[in-house]
Amino acid sequence: MYEKTFPNKRFKHTINFLEKHIPTSKSILDLGVVNPFSEIMTQHGYAVENTQGEDLDRDTQNITNSKADVVTAFEIFEHLLSPFTVLQSIKADKLVASVPLKLWFSSAYRSKTDMLDRHYHEFEDWQFDWLLEKAGWKIIDRQKWTNPTKKLGIRPILRWFTPRYYIVYAERV
């Protein structure tokens, strides 16, 4: 996934936000397979368990059976057809989740080689808030950040000041 680039800025913002809200004494279920960021969480002292790569639109058993105190979902919900179902199936009472924001100057992301690496949803912040609230979550804190690149062009310039990522800390209502 990160053959040519590594999202250092996104990972730095994400771990700082997680540490602000979740103590290392809390166990975490991270939605998605083991990945570089789940390893970063472990290096920062978190006990992390991951889902196994199952299609979460069809199979939420690992989520409903989890005894974790917190669920994390970093850049997962945009790939699901029904994130509402997944959000409702979470038994933990704390959630830290992030999504890439819809960019008005760019079409939805779609890998031509990996069927799983596609965005079904391109969220605006208010849409993600509404989804969480409707699924029974109250947003306690939120943050956005940009993702500038060192490329030339109109899109790269716009990425210097257009927020690209949105992260929230929410608790079950």
Side-chain angles (χ1 to χ4, degrees), residues 29 31 46 48 60 73 88 97 101 106 119 134 145 149 152 160 170:
L29 173 64
L31 301 186
Y46 291 99
V48 180
T60 59
Q88 281 193 311
L101 291 170
S106 182
H119 292 182
K134 194 162 186 175
W145 64 87
T149 65
L152 295 174
W160 279 89

Side-chain angles (χ1 to χ4, degrees), residues 1-3 10 74-76 78-80 100 108-122 164-165:
M1 174 182 266
Y2 299 114
E3 298 85 19
R10 176 167 50 103
F74 304 118
E75 285 78 54
I76 293 294
E78 67 276 9
H79 298 277
L80 299 176
Y109 174 74
R110 181 176 79 169
S111 169
K112 296 188 187 326
T113 57
D114 184 353
M115 292 291 291
L116 298 176
D117 191 19
R118 296 179 174 183
H119 292 182
Y120 185 78
H121 299 279
E122 290 276 318
R164 179 64 176 137
Y165 293 101

Side-chain angles (χ1 to χ4, degrees), residues 24-51:
T24 56
S25 60
K26 300 290 183 182
S27 59
I28 293 176
L29 173 64
D30 185 35
L31 301 186
V33 296
V34 173
N35 59 77
F37 192 74
S38 53
E39 293 172 10
I40 289 170
M41 288 190 289
T42 301
Q43 292 167 3
H44 280 254
Y46 291 99
V48 180
E49 161 194 4
N50 284 80
T51 55

Side-chain angles (χ1 to χ4, degrees), residues 5-66:
T5 61
F6 196 76
N8 290 312
K9 180 179 179 181
R10 176 167 50 103
F11 285 177
K12 180 181 166 212
H13 280 289
T14 304
I15 197 67
N16 289 341
F17 190 85
L18 183 67
E19 290 177 327
K20 176 181 175 182
H21 297 288
I22 306 300
T24 56
S25 60
K26 300 290 183 182
S27 59
I28 293 176
L29 173 64
D30 185 35
L31 301 186
V33 296
V34 173
N35 59 77
F37 192 74
S38 53
E39 293 172 10
I40 289 170
M41 288 190 289
T42 301
Q43 292 167 3
H44 280 254
Y46 291 99
V48 180
E49 161 194 4
N50 284 80
T51 55
Q52 305 301 309
E54 65 274 21
D55 182 346
L56 296 176
D57 280 316
R58 298 176 186 261
D59 180 5
T60 59
Q61 186 174 355
N62 282 335
I63 299 170
T64 56
N65 291 341
S66 175

